[in-house]
Amino acid sequence: MPIVSVDELSRTYRVADRQPGLRGSVQHLLRRRHRDVVAVQGVSFAVEPGEIVGFLGPNGAGKTTTLKMLTGLIHPSSGSVQVAGWVPARRQPRFLEQITLVMGNKQQLIWDLPPLDSFRVNAAVYGIDDSEAKRRIHELADMLELGDELTRPVRKLSLGQRMKAELLAALLHRPAVLFLDEPTLGLDVNAQARVRDFLADYNRRYGATVLLTSHYMGDITALCPRVLLIHQGRLFYDGSLEELTTSLAPQREVRLELRHLANAEEFQGYGELESLQGHQVRLLIPREQLTQQVGELLSRFDVLDLEVSDPPVEELIGRLFRQGSVA
Amino acid sequence: MPMPRNRYWRSLGRFWATSLAAELEYQANMAIELLAVVGNLAGSLFVLALLYGRSSRLGGWSWDEALVVLGVYTLLDGLTSAVLQPNLSKIVSHVQNGTLDFVLLKPIDSQFWISTRSFSPWGLPGLVAGAGLILWAANQAGASWQASHVALTALLLASSAVILYSLWFLLAALSIWFVKVWNATEVLRYVLVAGRYPVSAYPVGLRTLFTLVLPVAFLTTVPAEAILGRVSASWALASLGVAAAALGLSRWFWQYALRYYTSASS
Amino acid sequence: MRRALRIARVLLATQYAYMLEYRAEIALWALSGVLPLIMLGVWQGAGGAVAAGLSPQQLSHYFIAAFVVRQFTVVWLIHVFEEDALQGKLSPYLLQPLQPLWRYLAAHIAEQATRIPFVALMLAVLALLQPTDLALPSAGALLLGLLAIGAAFALRFLLQTVVTMLCFWSERAAALDRLLLIPYLFLSGLVAPLDTFPAPMKSFALATPFPYMLSFPAQLLAGMPVNAAAGFGALAAWIALLAPIAWLLWRAGVRRYGAMGA
């Protein structure tokens, strides 16, 4: 039974069309023109409990709109959504107790007070009794490596510490489904890694389902075995990141530095020879033959140095979005 | 599915305890608010004295009776500073910063959260000054202190507070559409200044307006009449009816506004 | 000079376009200026007006004029400035070769222009309901009145600029501004004509800048007998006093803003 199921989900917005400047304003005042903008179109997918799924897509692709429809903050124009057995748009309390939303660019902690005070407010709002809340705070603080930060006013915390405290506040009621919109926005590399580790740990420990959007490919590659690619409101890839990169870049590049000069003919049968300059050789070898052929190369030639590289994922996906389809 | 009622009480306690703790970081506010209350009260008394001039009546109200109206006004102003202003002015920033999303995802009534999340202790001087002025002036005017009479007064004061809350809430909820709407609550503050004087002091046209359209009459004049022991049953009932209708309207309007928000926001 | 004119034109045009986007809010805001009209209602039935020798007609002319003056002397600099300073929007303005206060001034003027139709509408409704309450001022009174409104706006803008500059030092500048609103409310003539004040209170009020921000232009517009030379003199004196203070505070404030690295 999937915990999140989305069927033919669409969302259109009506936006005012207006020319810039004074003339535009006056014109708009007299005669309003609207145009419908499609933010999400015919998106369907299902997520099983305990999965971690990443949303990928350029700005304005419809990731946040989709996430907001999953939490019930935006009503779908058509199609249906079910999360943990509920229709999100009704926002029933029992549903809300099962989900959480973390937005990297927005905060819910009380600015002037220590995070603990915000946690106490959330405990009351979610109806968690004090001893249980205390236990959970302790446990989560351990996982997040938060200590005396919890007793310092939020305004005095660093961005990374604040994000961790935000996560704690958002997870106090132990939601079954986590929605994370850019959870590592603006964090430095260390803090990013810590947030990622925590999310993976949390997912393992509580079996929670995680859906996240991120601009940082690092978040996605580290956390999400499965990705959903959204472009111009449409879902056009749903599957593992690995398969995606394989299908996008079926070959890998192998660079060799040889002790002795060799002829081009000698590399026949080893993928595709890209270049041969003195002692430097560059070959493109299909992934599935990689280990075998590299082994053969090593035994046949006197190799001083060997490097196998993959085109960066960002580049591949960027190319994909420019093409507009999975080739 | 019934919500545990105590969740609301417990939340309210936490809300106000945290706001108190946060507000106490800014103690200079106390001096400012005290000054504001004293200044406003002095100014109001001064203008009231000017209005009376050498005559002894204003719209049929004696000086002491009119002071009861001013006392009720000051009390409501204190309520505004303590609860209404700190909460309802935030709807705007919630909409602007997108933090309304957090509120909507809490398993608690969003109108309750929006309306009670903050409490400002700086409204207390107004509440105290208003209550003091009411007691003193009512005594001067010779009001009686029977239990039934006090109970009716309390009831009508509560209904006036509910009306005031609903008006504030309705206007503040407009910020879902118009983001710059802190103006709108300013409108309310300025129009409600009319409540400083008994409604019979106004010409007929304004009197009708303040009774039927903007229920200023029910905010200060009717409770003041209850305090003075001369409110008629029909006015008392009308006040309760307006309060119930206003509260119902505020709830309906909030649901309507949220429907718009959830269908228009991006 | 030509450059200054061009900047002024562009600033005003863009700010006007911006304000038109917020016309609904501005209409509401214009509505919040009804206080003088409410006070007119109370005064019409009050013994105090008779005692001060003000006829109902004079009262209505005065308060309606006060309503118009109030509409075009509203200053909200401190609210936007505080926000801009907090959110760091001020920094890019500081890098431009234009003193940022001009930008805010242009915004105020544009906002007033946006108000004109709403104020006209409200006056028209008033004229329909109570035709005798309105009187068209003579050309001379109108000219002097408009001039006085301009000067009164300048004075209010300067006074709030001085308070606003305290934003650089204190988070409570807006609260201070709210305090200043109290003497403005009671001493400017907004809720009671100065002629109804007891003599000592009236001379006290006239020693403050507040009556020149409202009562003086309103009296000119209403065609009431008033010493125009003395009024304009007082306006000029207060402006001359506040302008250098505002300027010095601005310089010190910006230096502080830079030092805090905001």
Side-chain angles (χ1 to χ4, degrees), chain C:
Chain C
M1 188 61 201
R2 259 184 52 199
R3 197 174 140 248
L5 275 176
R6 185 156 159 248
I7 292 176
R9 213 186 57 222
V10 172
L11 267 185
L12 288 171
T14 49
Q15 291 287 358
Y16 185 61
Y18 176 74
M19 291 296 167
L20 274 183
E21 290 293 297
Y22 287 106
R23 60 198 170 277
E25 288 81 350
I26 290 172
L28 274 173
W29 217 3
L31 206 62
S32 80
V34 293
L35 182 61
L37 303 180
I38 292 173
M39 290 316 294
L40 170 62
V42 194
W43 276 101
Q44 273 171 339
V50 187
L54 286 168
S55 71
Q57 200 136 63
Q58 276 174 313
L59 269 179
S60 55
H61 290 173
Y62 172 77
F63 275 114
I64 289 168
F67 164 75
V68 173
V69 175
R70 171 75 188 144
Q71 289 288 346
F72 296 105
T73 54
V74 172
V75 179
W76 32 267
L77 170 70
I78 193 158
H79 304 289
V80 273
F81 189 88
E82 202 178 28
E83 209 181 300
D84 287 355
L86 274 179
Q87 298 183 346
K89 278 191 208 155
L90 195 58
S91 304
Y93 292 165
L94 285 172
L95 294 179
Q96 294 179 357
L98 174 75
Q99 150 68 280
L101 282 174
W102 291 115
R103 194 182 289 272
Y104 294 106
L105 185 65
H108 278 75
I109 294 171
E111 191 259 338
Q112 286 171 12
T114 321
R115 254 168 209 254
I116 291 174
F118 302 118
V119 176
L121 187 72
M122 285 162 82
L123 286 177
V125 170
L126 216 59
L128 273 177
L129 290 175
Q130 307 252 304
T132 51
D133 279 3
L134 253 69
L136 214 57
S138 68
L142 189 66
L143 198 70
L144 280 179
L146 288 179
L147 200 64
I149 289 179
F153 167 70
L155 177 54
R156 273 189 59 68
F157 191 83
L158 269 176
L159 182 63
Q160 203 172 82
T161 305
V162 169
V163 180
T164 302
M165 291 306 111
L166 302 181
C167 285
F168 288 122
W169 287 271
S170 156
E171 294 175 21
R172 300 288 116 186
L176 194 65
D177 182 66
R178 223 153 55 73
L179 272 189
L180 264 184
L181 208 61
I182 294 171
Y184 170 74
L185 188 65
F186 294 111
L187 297 180
S188 68
L190 194 63
V191 291
L194 256 63
D195 288 341
T196 62
F197 284 22
M201 206 55 208
K202 185 174 171 181
S203 18
F204 169 72
L206 286 174
T208 69
F210 303 109
Y212 305 102
M213 296 172 178
L214 192 117
S215 173
F216 170 63
Q219 281 175 315
L220 281 177
L221 269 183
M224 293 163 91
V226 61
N227 187 339
F232 279 112
L235 274 170
W238 279 108
I239 289 174
L241 178 72
L242 287 175
I245 298 179
W247 188 70
L248 285 174
L249 280 174
W250 168 265
R251 290 210 347 184
V254 167
R255 218 174 302 136
R256 192 183 151 83
Y257 188 70
M260 291 192 310

